[in-house]
Coordinates of all heavy atoms in Angstrom, one line a residue:
M1 N 8.6 -12.9 9.3 CA 8.1 -11.6 8.9 C 8.9 -11.2 7.6 O 10.1 -11.4 7.5 CB 8.3 -10.6 10.0 CG 7.6 -9.3 9.7 SD 7.9 -8.2 11.1 CE 6.4 -7.3 11.2
R2 N 8.1 -10.7 6.6 CA 8.8 -10.3 5.4 C 9.5 -9.0 5.7 O 9.1 -8.1 6.4 CB 7.7 -10.0 4.3 CG 7.2 -11.3 3.7 CD 6.0 -11.0 2.8 NE 6.5 -10.5 1.5 CZ 5.7 -10.0 0.6 NH1 4.4 -9.8 0.8 NH2 6.1 -9.5 -0.6
S3 N 10.6 -8.8 5.0 CA 11.3 -7.6 5.1 C 11.6 -7.1 3.7 O 11.6 -7.8 2.7 CB 12.6 -7.7 5.9 OG 13.4 -8.6 5.3
F4 N 11.8 -5.8 3.6 CA 11.9 -5.2 2.3 C 13.1 -4.3 2.2 O 13.4 -3.6 3.2 CB 10.6 -4.4 1.9 CG 9.4 -5.2 1.9 CD1 8.6 -5.3 3.0 CD2 9.1 -5.9 0.7 CE1 7.4 -6.1 2.9 CE2 7.9 -6.7 0.6 CZ 7.1 -6.8 1.8
R5 N 13.7 -4.2 1.1 CA 14.8 -3.3 0.9 C 14.2 -2.1 0.2 O 13.2 -2.1 -0.4 CB 15.9 -3.9 0.0 CG 16.5 -5.1 0.6 CD 17.3 -5.9 -0.5 NE 18.4 -5.1 -0.9 CZ 19.7 -5.5 -0.7 NH1 19.9 -6.6 -0.1 NH2 20.7 -4.7 -1.1
K6 N 15.0 -1.0 0.4 CA 14.6 0.2 -0.3 C 14.3 0.0 -1.8 O 13.3 0.5 -2.4 CB 15.6 1.3 -0.1 CG 15.3 2.7 -0.7 CD 16.3 3.7 -0.4 CE 16.1 5.0 -1.2 NZ 17.2 5.9 -1.0
E7 N 15.2 -0.8 -2.4 CA 15.1 -1.0 -3.9 C 13.8 -1.8 -4.2 O 13.3 -1.8 -5.3 CB 16.3 -1.8 -4.4 CG 17.6 -1.2 -4.1 CD 18.2 -1.6 -2.8 OE1 17.9 -0.9 -1.8 OE2 18.9 -2.6 -2.7
D8 N 13.3 -2.5 -3.2 CA 12.0 -3.3 -3.5 C 10.8 -2.4 -3.5 O 9.7 -2.8 -4.0 CB 11.8 -4.3 -2.3 CG 12.9 -5.3 -2.3 OD1 13.4 -5.6 -3.3 OD2 13.1 -5.8 -1.2
V9 N 11.0 -1.1 -3.0 CA 9.8 -0.3 -2.8 C 9.9 1.0 -3.7 O 8.9 1.4 -4.3 CB 9.7 0.1 -1.3 CG1 8.6 1.1 -1.1 CG2 9.5 -1.1 -0.5
V10 N 11.1 1.6 -3.8 CA 11.2 2.8 -4.5 C 10.9 2.6 -6.0 O 11.3 1.6 -6.6 CB 12.6 3.4 -4.3 CG1 12.8 4.6 -5.3 CG2 12.8 3.9 -2.9
G11 N 10.0 3.5 -6.5 CA 9.6 3.4 -8.0 C 8.3 2.6 -8.2 O 7.8 2.7 -9.2
K12 N 7.8 2.0 -7.1 CA 6.6 1.3 -7.2 C 5.4 2.2 -7.1 O 5.5 3.3 -6.5 CB 6.4 0.2 -6.1 CG 7.3 -1.0 -6.5 CD 6.9 -2.2 -5.7 CE 7.7 -3.4 -6.3 NZ 7.9 -4.5 -5.4
T13 N 4.3 1.8 -7.8 CA 3.1 2.6 -7.7 C 2.4 2.4 -6.4 O 2.3 1.2 -6.0 CB 2.2 2.3 -8.9 OG1 2.9 2.5 -10.1 CG2 0.9 3.1 -8.9
V14 N 1.9 3.4 -5.8 CA 1.1 3.3 -4.5 C -0.4 3.4 -4.8 O -0.8 4.3 -5.5 CB 1.5 4.4 -3.5 CG1 0.7 4.3 -2.3 CG2 3.0 4.3 -3.3
I15 N -1.1 2.4 -4.4 CA -2.5 2.3 -4.7 C -3.3 2.1 -3.4 O -2.9 1.3 -2.6 CB -2.8 1.1 -5.7 CG1 -2.1 1.3 -7.0 CG2 -4.3 0.9 -5.9 CD1 -2.0 0.1 -7.8
E16 N -4.4 2.9 -3.3 CA -5.2 2.6 -2.1 C -6.0 1.4 -2.4 O -6.3 1.0 -3.5 CB -6.2 3.8 -1.9 CG -5.5 5.0 -1.3 CD -6.5 6.1 -0.9 OE1 -7.8 5.9 -1.1 OE2 -6.1 7.2 -0.5
T17 N -6.5 0.7 -1.3 CA -7.3 -0.5 -1.4 C -8.6 -0.2 -2.2 O -9.2 -1.1 -2.8 CB -7.6 -1.1 -0.1 OG1 -8.1 -0.1 0.8 CG2 -6.3 -1.7 0.5
S18 N -9.0 1.1 -2.2 CA -10.2 1.4 -3.0 C -9.9 1.5 -4.4 O -10.9 1.6 -5.2 CB -10.7 2.8 -2.5 OG -9.7 3.8 -2.7
G19 N -8.7 1.5 -4.8 CA -8.3 1.5 -6.3 C -7.7 2.8 -6.7 O -7.2 2.9 -7.8
A20 N -7.7 3.9 -5.8 CA -7.2 5.2 -6.2 C -5.7 5.1 -6.2 O -5.0 4.5 -5.3 CB -7.6 6.2 -5.2
V21 N -5.1 5.7 -7.3 CA -3.6 5.7 -7.4 C -3.1 6.9 -6.7 O -3.5 8.0 -6.9 CB -3.2 5.7 -8.9 CG1 -1.7 5.8 -9.0 CG2 -3.7 4.4 -9.5
K22 N -2.2 6.7 -5.7 CA -1.6 7.8 -5.0 C -0.4 8.4 -5.6 O -0.1 9.6 -5.4 CB -1.2 7.4 -3.5 CG -2.3 6.8 -2.7 CD -3.3 7.8 -2.2 CE -2.7 8.4 -0.9 NZ -3.7 9.3 -0.3
G23 N 0.4 7.6 -6.3 CA 1.6 8.1 -7.0 C 2.7 7.0 -6.9 O 2.4 5.8 -6.8
K24 N 3.9 7.5 -7.0 CA 5.0 6.5 -7.0 C 5.9 6.8 -5.8 O 6.2 7.9 -5.4 CB 5.9 6.7 -8.3 CG 5.4 5.9 -9.4 CD 6.5 5.9 -10.5 CE 6.1 5.2 -11.8 NZ 5.1 4.2 -11.8
V25 N 6.5 5.7 -5.2 CA 7.4 5.9 -4.1 C 8.7 6.5 -4.6 O 9.3 6.0 -5.5 CB 7.7 4.5 -3.4 CG1 8.6 4.7 -2.2 CG2 6.4 3.8 -3.0
K26 N 9.1 7.6 -3.9 CA 10.3 8.3 -4.3 C 11.4 8.0 -3.4 O 12.6 7.9 -3.7 CB 10.0 9.8 -4.3 CG 10.7 10.6 -5.3 CD 10.1 12.0 -5.4 CE 10.8 12.9 -4.4 NZ 10.4 14.3 -4.6
D27 N 11.1 7.9 -2.1 CA 12.1 7.7 -1.1 C 11.4 7.1 0.2 O 10.2 7.1 0.3 CB 12.8 9.0 -0.8 CG 14.2 8.8 -0.3 OD1 14.6 7.7 0.0 OD2 14.9 9.8 -0.2
I28 N 12.3 6.7 1.1 CA 11.8 6.2 2.4 C 12.5 7.0 3.5 O 13.7 7.2 3.4 CB 12.1 4.7 2.5 CG1 11.3 3.9 1.5 CG2 11.7 4.2 3.9 CD1 11.7 2.5 1.4
V29 N 11.8 7.5 4.4 CA 12.4 8.2 5.5 C 12.1 7.5 6.8 O 11.1 6.8 6.9 CB 12.0 9.7 5.6 CG1 12.4 10.5 4.3 CG2 10.5 9.8 5.7
F30 N 12.9 7.7 7.8 CA 12.7 7.1 9.1 C 13.1 8.0 10.2 O 13.9 8.9 9.9 CB 13.4 5.7 9.2 CG 14.8 5.8 9.1 CD1 15.6 6.0 10.3 CD2 15.5 5.6 7.9 CE1 17.0 6.0 10.2 CE2 16.8 5.7 7.8 CZ 17.6 5.9 8.9
D31 N 12.5 7.8 11.4 CA 13.0 8.7 12.5 C 13.6 7.8 13.6 O 13.5 6.5 13.5 CB 11.9 9.6 13.0 CG 10.7 8.8 13.5 OD1 10.9 7.8 14.3 OD2 9.5 9.1 13.1
L32 N 14.2 8.4 14.6 CA 14.9 7.6 15.6 C 14.0 6.8 16.5 O 14.4 6.0 17.2 CB 15.8 8.5 16.4 CG 17.0 9.1 15.6 CD1 17.8 10.0 16.4 CD2 17.9 8.0 15.1
S33 N 12.7 7.1 16.5 CA 11.8 6.4 17.3 C 11.2 5.2 16.6 O 10.4 4.4 17.1 CB 10.6 7.3 17.8 OG 9.9 7.8 16.7
G34 N 11.7 4.9 15.4 CA 11.3 3.7 14.6 C 10.2 3.9 13.6 O 9.8 3.0 13.0
G35 N 9.8 5.1 13.5 CA 8.8 5.4 12.5 C 9.3 5.4 11.1 O 10.4 5.9 10.8
V36 N 8.6 4.7 10.1 CA 9.1 4.7 8.7 C 8.0 5.3 7.9 O 6.8 5.0 8.1 CB 9.3 3.2 8.3 CG1 9.7 3.2 6.8 CG2 10.4 2.6 9.1
T37 N 8.4 6.2 7.0 CA 7.4 6.9 6.1 C 7.8 6.8 4.7 O 9.0 6.9 4.4 CB 7.3 8.3 6.6 OG1 7.0 8.4 7.9 CG2 6.2 9.1 5.8
F38 N 6.9 6.5 3.8 CA 7.2 6.5 2.4 C 6.9 7.9 1.8 O 5.9 8.5 2.1 CB 6.2 5.5 1.6 CG 6.5 4.0 1.9 CD1 7.5 3.6 2.8 CD2 5.9 3.1 1.2 CE1 7.7 2.3 3.0 CE2 6.1 1.7 1.4 CZ 7.1 1.3 2.3
V39 N 7.9 8.4 1.1 CA 7.7 9.6 0.4 C 7.2 9.3 -1.0 O 7.9 8.6 -1.8 CB 9.0 10.4 0.3 CG1 8.7 11.8 -0.4 CG2 9.5 10.7 1.7
V40 N 6.0 9.7 -1.3 CA 5.3 9.3 -2.6 C 5.1 10.6 -3.4 O 4.6 11.6 -2.9 CB 4.0 8.7 -2.3 CG1 3.2 8.4 -3.5 CG2 4.2 7.4 -1.5
Q41 N 5.5 10.5 -4.6 CA 5.3 11.6 -5.5 C 4.0 11.4 -6.2 O 3.8 10.5 -7.0 CB 6.4 11.7 -6.6 CG 6.3 13.0 -7.4 CD 7.6 13.3 -8.2 OE1 8.3 12.4 -8.6 NE2 7.9 14.6 -8.3
G42 N 3.0 12.3 -6.0 CA 1.7 12.2 -6.5 C 1.7 12.7 -8.0 O 2.7 13.2 -8.5
A43 N 0.5 12.5 -8.6 CA 0.4 12.9 -10.0 C 0.6 14.4 -10.3 O 1.0 14.8 -11.3 CB -1.0 12.5 -10.5
D44 N 0.3 15.2 -9.2 CA 0.5 16.6 -9.4 C 1.9 17.0 -9.1 O 2.2 18.2 -9.1 CB -0.5 17.4 -8.4 CG -0.3 16.9 -7.0 OD1 0.6 16.1 -6.7 OD2 -1.0 17.5 -6.1
G45 N 2.8 16.1 -8.9 CA 4.2 16.4 -8.7 C 4.6 16.7 -7.2 O 5.7 16.9 -6.9
K46 N 3.6 16.8 -6.4 CA 3.8 17.1 -5.0 C 4.1 15.8 -4.2 O 3.5 14.8 -4.5 CB 2.6 17.8 -4.3 CG 2.4 19.2 -4.8 CD 1.4 20.0 -3.9 CE 1.2 21.4 -4.4 NZ -0.3 21.6 -4.7
D47 N 5.0 15.9 -3.2 CA 5.3 14.8 -2.4 C 4.2 14.6 -1.3 O 3.8 15.6 -0.7 CB 6.6 15.0 -1.7 CG 7.8 14.8 -2.7 OD1 7.5 14.5 -3.8 OD2 8.9 15.1 -2.3
V48 N 3.8 13.4 -1.1 CA 2.9 13.0 0.0 C 3.7 12.0 0.9 O 4.4 11.2 0.4 CB 1.7 12.3 -0.5 CG1 0.6 12.3 0.5 CG2 1.2 12.9 -1.8
Q49 N 3.5 12.2 2.2 CA 4.1 11.2 3.1 C 3.1 10.2 3.6 O 2.1 10.6 4.1 CB 4.8 12.0 4.3 CG 5.9 12.9 3.8 CD 7.0 13.1 4.7 OE1 6.9 12.7 5.9 NE2 8.1 13.6 4.3
I50 N 3.4 9.0 3.4 CA 2.5 7.9 3.8 C 3.2 7.1 4.9 O 4.2 6.4 4.6 CB 2.1 7.1 2.6 CG1 1.3 8.0 1.6 CG2 1.2 5.9 3.1 CD1 0.8 7.2 0.4
P51 N 2.7 7.1 6.1 CA 3.3 6.3 7.2 C 3.2 4.8 6.9 O 2.2 4.3 6.3 CB 2.6 6.6 8.4 CG 1.3 7.3 8.0 CD 1.5 7.8 6.6
L52 N 4.2 4.0 7.2 CA 4.3 2.6 7.0 C 3.1 1.9 7.6 O 2.6 0.9 7.1 CB 5.6 2.0 7.5 CG 5.9 0.6 7.2 CD1 6.1 0.4 5.7 CD2 7.1 0.1 7.9
L53 N 2.5 2.5 8.7 CA 1.4 1.9 9.3 C 0.2 1.8 8.4 O -0.7 0.9 8.6 CB 0.9 2.7 10.5 CG 1.8 2.6 11.8 CD1 1.4 3.7 12.8 CD2 1.7 1.2 12.4
K54 N 0.1 2.6 7.4 CA -1.0 2.6 6.4 C -0.8 1.6 5.3 O -1.7 1.3 4.6 CB -1.2 4.0 5.9 CG -1.8 5.0 6.9 CD -2.3 6.2 6.3 CE -3.6 5.9 5.6 NZ -4.2 7.1 5.0
V55 N 0.5 1.1 5.2 CA 0.8 0.2 4.1 C 0.2 -1.2 4.5 O 0.6 -1.7 5.6 CB 2.3 0.1 3.8 CG1 2.6 -0.9 2.8 CG2 2.7 1.5 3.4
T56 N -0.6 -1.8 3.6 CA -1.1 -3.1 4.0 C -0.4 -4.3 3.2 O -0.5 -5.4 3.6 CB -2.6 -3.2 3.7 OG1 -2.8 -3.0 2.3 CG2 -3.4 -2.1 4.4
G57 N 0.2 -3.9 2.1 CA 0.9 -5.0 1.3 C 1.8 -4.4 0.3 O 1.6 -3.3 -0.2
I58 N 2.9 -5.2 0.0 CA 3.8 -4.8 -1.1 C 4.0 -5.9 -2.0 O 4.4 -7.0 -1.5 CB 5.1 -4.3 -0.4 CG1 4.9 -3.1 0.5 CG2 6.2 -4.0 -1.5 CD1 6.2 -2.8 1.3
S59 N 3.7 -5.8 -3.2 CA 4.0 -6.8 -4.2 C 4.4 -6.1 -5.5 O 5.5 -5.4 -5.5 CB 2.8 -7.7 -4.5 OG 1.7 -6.9 -4.9
E60 N 3.7 -6.2 -6.6 CA 4.1 -5.4 -7.7 C 3.6 -3.9 -7.5 O 4.1 -3.0 -8.3 CB 3.5 -5.9 -9.1 CG 2.0 -5.9 -9.2 CD 1.4 -7.2 -8.9 OE1 1.6 -7.8 -7.9 OE2 0.6 -7.6 -9.8
H61 N 2.8 -3.7 -6.5 CA 2.4 -2.3 -6.1 C 2.5 -2.2 -4.6 O 2.6 -3.2 -3.9 CB 0.9 -2.1 -6.5 CG 0.6 -2.3 -7.9 ND1 1.1 -1.6 -8.9 CD2 -0.2 -3.3 -8.5 CE1 0.6 -2.0 -10.1 NE2 -0.2 -3.1 -9.9
V62 N 2.5 -1.0 -4.2 CA 2.4 -0.8 -2.7 C 1.0 -0.4 -2.4 O 0.4 0.5 -3.0 CB 3.4 0.4 -2.3 CG1 3.2 0.7 -0.8 CG2 4.8 0.0 -2.5
V63 N 0.3 -1.2 -1.6 CA -1.1 -1.0 -1.3 C -1.2 -0.4 0.0 O -0.6 -0.8 1.0 CB -1.9 -2.3 -1.4 CG1 -3.3 -2.1 -1.1 CG2 -1.7 -3.0 -2.8
V64 N -2.0 0.7 0.1 CA -2.2 1.4 1.4 C -3.7 1.5 1.7 O -4.5 1.5 0.8 CB -1.6 2.8 1.3 CG1 -0.1 2.8 1.1 CG2 -2.3 3.7 0.3
R65 N -4.0 1.5 2.9 CA -5.4 1.7 3.4 C -5.9 3.1 2.9 O -5.2 4.1 3.1 CB -5.5 1.7 4.9 CG -6.1 0.4 5.4 CD -6.5 0.6 6.9 NE -5.4 1.1 7.7 CZ -4.5 0.3 8.3 NH1 -4.5 -1.0 8.0 NH2 -3.6 0.8 9.0
G66 N -7.1 3.1 2.4 CA -7.7 4.4 2.0 C -8.0 5.2 3.2 O -8.1 4.7 4.3
E67 N -8.3 6.5 3.0 CA -8.6 7.4 4.1 C -9.8 7.0 4.9 O -9.9 7.0 6.1 CB -8.9 8.8 3.6 CG -7.7 9.4 2.7 CD -6.5 9.6 3.5 OE1 -6.5 9.8 4.7 OE2 -5.4 9.6 2.9
A68 N -10.8 6.5 4.1 CA -12.1 6.2 4.8 C -12.3 4.7 5.1 O -13.2 4.4 5.7 CB -13.3 6.6 3.8
A69 N -11.3 3.9 4.7 CA -11.4 2.5 4.9 C -11.4 2.2 6.4 O -10.6 2.8 7.2 CB -10.3 1.7 4.2
P70 N -12.2 1.2 6.9 CA -12.2 0.8 8.3 C -10.9 0.1 8.6 O -10.2 -0.4 7.7 CB -13.4 -0.1 8.4 CG -13.6 -0.6 7.0 CD -13.1 0.4 6.1
E71 N -10.5 0.1 9.9 CA -9.4 -0.7 10.3 C -9.6 -2.1 10.0 O -10.8 -2.6 10.0 CB -9.2 -0.5 11.8 CG -8.8 0.9 12.3 CD -7.4 1.2 11.8 OE1 -6.5 0.5 11.9 OE2 -7.3 2.3 11.2
S72 N -8.6 -2.9 9.7 CA -8.8 -4.2 9.3 C -9.4 -5.0 10.4 O -9.1 -4.9 11.6 CB -7.5 -4.9 8.8 OG -6.4 -4.6 9.7
G73 N -10.4 -5.8 10.1 CA -11.1 -6.6 11.0 C -12.3 -6.0 11.6 O -13.1 -6.6 12.3
A74 N -12.4 -4.7 11.3 CA -13.6 -3.9 11.9 C -14.9 -4.4 11.3 O -15.8 -4.8 12.1 CB -13.4 -2.4 11.6
S75 N -15.0 -4.5 10.0 CA -16.2 -5.0 9.4 C -16.1 -5.0 7.9 O -15.1 -4.6 7.4 CB -17.4 -4.0 9.7 OG -17.2 -2.8 9.1
G76 N -17.0 -5.7 7.3 CA -17.1 -5.6 5.8 C -16.2 -6.5 5.1 O -16.0 -6.4 3.9
Y77 N -15.6 -7.5 5.8 CA -14.7 -8.4 5.0 C -15.6 -9.5 4.4 O -15.8 -10.5 5.0 CB -13.6 -9.0 5.9 CG -12.4 -8.0 6.0 CD1 -12.6 -6.8 6.6 CD2 -11.2 -8.4 5.5 CE1 -11.5 -5.9 6.6 CE2 -10.2 -7.5 5.5 CZ -10.3 -6.2 6.1 OH -9.3 -5.4 6.1
G78 N -16.0 -9.2 3.2 CA -17.0 -10.1 2.6 C -16.5 -11.0 1.6 O -17.2 -12.0 1.2
T79 N -15.3 -10.8 1.0 CA -14.8 -11.6 0.0 C -13.4 -12.0 0.2 O -12.8 -11.5 1.2 CB -14.9 -10.9 -1.4 OG1 -14.0 -9.8 -1.3 CG2 -16.3 -10.5 -1.8
T80 N -12.9 -12.9 -0.6 CA -11.5 -13.3 -0.4 C -10.8 -13.0 -1.7 O -11.4 -13.0 -2.8 CB -11.3 -14.8 -0.1 OG1 -12.0 -15.5 -1.1 CG2 -11.9 -15.1 1.3
C81 N -9.5 -12.7 -1.6 CA -8.7 -12.4 -2.7 C -8.6 -13.7 -3.6 O -8.3 -14.7 -3.1 CB -7.3 -12.0 -2.3 SG -6.1 -11.9 -3.6
R82 N -8.7 -13.5 -4.9 CA -8.6 -14.7 -5.8 C -7.2 -15.1 -6.0 O -7.0 -16.2 -6.6 CB -9.4 -14.5 -7.1 CG -8.9 -13.3 -7.9 CD -10.0 -12.9 -8.9 NE -9.6 -11.8 -9.8 CZ -9.1 -12.0 -11.0 NH1 -8.8 -13.1 -11.5 NH2 -8.7 -10.9 -11.7
F83 N -6.2 -14.3 -5.6 CA -4.8 -14.8 -5.7 C -4.3 -15.4 -4.5 O -3.7 -16.5 -4.5 CB -4.0 -13.6 -6.1 CG -4.4 -13.0 -7.5 CD1 -5.1 -11.8 -7.6 CD2 -4.0 -13.7 -8.6 CE1 -5.5 -11.3 -8.8 CE2 -4.4 -13.2 -9.9 CZ -5.1 -12.0 -10.0
C84 N -4.4 -14.7 -3.3 CA -3.8 -15.2 -2.1 C -4.8 -15.7 -1.1 O -4.4 -16.3 -0.1 CB -2.9 -14.1 -1.5 SG -3.8 -12.8 -0.7
G85 N -6.1 -15.5 -1.3 CA -7.1 -16.0 -0.4 C -7.3 -15.2 0.8 O -8.1 -15.6 1.7
A86 N -6.6 -14.0 1.0 CA -6.9 -13.2 2.1 C -8.3 -12.6 2.1 O -8.8 -12.3 1.0 CB -5.8 -12.1 2.2
S87 N -8.9 -12.5 3.2 CA -10.2 -11.9 3.2 C -10.1 -10.4 3.1 O -9.1 -9.8 3.6 CB -11.0 -12.2 4.5 OG -10.3 -11.9 5.6
K88 N -11.0 -9.8 2.4 CA -10.9 -8.4 2.1 C -12.3 -7.8 1.9 O -13.3 -8.5 1.6 CB -10.1 -8.1 0.9 CG -10.7 -8.7 -0.4 CD -9.9 -8.3 -1.6 CE -10.7 -8.2 -2.9 NZ -12.1 -7.8 -2.8
P89 N -12.5 -6.5 2.1 CA -13.8 -5.9 1.9 C -14.2 -6.0 0.5 O -13.4 -5.9 -0.4 CB -13.6 -4.4 2.3 CG -12.3 -4.4 3.1 CD -11.5 -5.6 2.6
A90 N -15.5 -6.3 0.3 CA -16.0 -6.6 -1.1 C -15.8 -5.5 -2.0 O -15.5 -5.7 -3.2 CB -17.5 -7.0 -1.0
E91 N -15.8 -4.2 -1.5 CA -15.8 -3.1 -2.4 C -14.3 -2.7 -2.8 O -14.1 -1.9 -3.7 CB -16.5 -1.9 -1.8 CG -15.8 -1.2 -0.6 CD -16.0 -2.0 0.7 OE1 -16.6 -3.1 0.7 OE2 -15.6 -1.4 1.7
E92 N -13.4 -3.3 -2.2 CA -12.0 -2.9 -2.5 C -11.5 -3.7 -3.7 O -11.6 -4.9 -3.8 CB -11.1 -3.2 -1.2 CG -11.6 -2.3 -0.1 CD -10.6 -2.0 0.9 OE1 -9.6 -2.8 1.1 OE2 -10.7 -1.0 1.6
R93 N -10.8 -2.9 -4.6 CA -10.4 -3.4 -5.9 C -9.0 -4.0 -5.8 O -8.6 -4.6 -6.8 CB -10.5 -2.3 -6.9 CG -11.9 -2.0 -7.3 CD -12.0 -0.8 -8.2 NE -11.0 -0.8 -9.2 CZ -10.5 0.3 -9.8 NH1 -11.0 1.5 -9.5 NH2 -9.6 0.2 -10.8
W94 N -8.3 -3.7 -4.8 CA -6.9 -4.2 -4.7 C -6.8 -5.0 -3.4 O -7.3 -4.5 -2.3 CB -5.9 -3.1 -4.7 CG -6.0 -2.3 -6.0 CD1 -6.9 -1.3 -6.3 CD2 -5.2 -2.5 -7.2 NE1 -6.7 -0.9 -7.6 CE2 -5.7 -1.6 -8.1 CE3 -4.2 -3.4 -7.5 CZ2 -5.1 -1.6 -9.4 CZ3 -3.7 -3.3 -8.8 CH2 -4.1 -2.4 -9.7
C95 N -6.2 -6.1 -3.4 CA -6.0 -6.9 -2.2 C -5.1 -6.2 -1.2 O -4.0 -5.8 -1.6 CB -5.4 -8.3 -2.6 SG -5.1 -9.3 -1.2
P96 N -5.6 -6.1 0.0 CA -4.7 -5.4 1.0 C -3.5 -6.3 1.4 O -2.5 -5.8 1.9 CB -5.6 -5.2 2.2 CG -7.0 -5.7 1.8 CD -6.8 -6.5 0.5
N97 N -3.6 -7.6 1.1 CA -2.5 -8.5 1.4 C -1.4 -8.6 0.4 O -0.2 -8.4 0.6 CB -3.1 -9.9 1.8 CG -2.0 -10.8 2.3 OD1 -1.3 -10.5 3.3 ND2 -1.9 -11.9 1.7
C98 N -1.8 -9.0 -0.8 CA -0.8 -9.2 -1.9 C -0.8 -8.1 -2.9 O 0.1 -8.0 -3.7 CB -1.1 -10.5 -2.6 SG -2.6 -10.5 -3.6
G99 N -1.7 -7.1 -2.9 CA -1.6 -6.0 -3.7 C -2.0 -6.2 -5.2 O -1.7 -5.4 -6.0
R100 N -2.7 -7.3 -5.4 CA -3.1 -7.6 -6.8 C -4.5 -7.1 -7.1 O -5.4 -7.2 -6.3 CB -2.9 -9.0 -7.1 CG -1.4 -9.4 -7.1 CD -1.2 -10.9 -7.0 NE -1.0 -11.5 -8.3 CZ -0.6 -12.8 -8.4 NH1 -0.4 -13.5 -7.3 NH2 -0.4 -13.3 -9.6
S101 N -4.7 -6.7 -8.4 CA -6.0 -6.2 -8.8 C -7.0 -7.3 -8.8 O -6.7 -8.4 -9.2 CB -5.9 -5.6 -10.2 OG -7.2 -5.3 -10.7
Q102 N -8.2 -7.0 -8.3 CA -9.3 -8.1 -8.3 C -10.2 -8.0 -9.5 O -11.1 -8.7 -9.5 CB -10.1 -7.9 -7.0 CG -9.2 -7.9 -5.7 CD -8.5 -9.2 -5.5 OE1 -9.2 -10.3 -5.4 NE2 -7.2 -9.2 -5.4
T103 N -9.9 -7.1 -10.4 CA -10.8 -7.0 -11.5 C -10.3 -7.7 -12.8 O -9.1 -8.0 -12.8 CB -11.0 -5.5 -11.9 OG1 -9.7 -4.9 -12.1 CG2 -11.7 -4.8 -10.8
Ligands
ZN10 ZN1 -4.3 -11.1 -2.3

């Protein structure tokens, strides 16, 4: 299993698999029950908290599942990433696995 240090994540741009940019990772918080949440500073300067459960991949960007995106494996996995070969929904512009742009 891949593991990440805070330095690997803080400062990275957070992008939804649909292509929408959420902002930049500012900090990481965790609670005693094991939950990890990314604190992301949005374009409007407000902090958004994104639970790690929504993060699908970390590479040069942090890729998160969009609000409306189906759970992985649900349906719609029509294409494969041209970089890592992971299957992904055809309409998604960023690979949920490796986080690279498909355009
Ligand atoms: Zn990929």
Side-chain angles (χ1 to χ4, degrees):
M1 193 179 213
R2 283 173 80 190
S3 59
F4 298 95
R5 298 165 69 113
K6 182 180 172 184
E7 303 88 270
D8 297 330
V9 175
V10 170
K12 283 196 169 153
T13 302
V14 178
I15 297 166
E16 282 189 6
T17 50
S18 62
V21 176
K22 302 282 280 183
K24 270 194 188 334
V25 180
K26 212 169 89 171
D27 207 350
I28 297 171
V29 296
F30 60 90
D31 60 48
L32 291 177
S33 61
V36 177
T37 303
F38 289 6
V39 181
V40 174
Q41 187 164 37
D44 57 2
K46 287 194 186 122
D47 288 352
V48 196
Q49 298 213 347
I50 298 179
L52 190 64
L53 283 172
K54 292 194 73 176
V55 176
T56 64
I58 298 171
S59 59
E60 69 257 54
H61 307 292
V62 175
V63 181
V64 299
R65 250 194 312 274
E67 305 296 335
E71 293 295 310
S72 46
S75 68
Y77 277 65
T79 60
T80 54
C81 172
R82 59 198 179 97
F83 296 104
C84 72
S87 55
K88 63 172 209 35
E91 71 278 8
E92 299 205 333
R93 287 170 44 204
W94 298 85
C95 174
N97 185 55
C98 71
R100 290 161 99 169
S101 171
Q102 305 296 303
T103 53

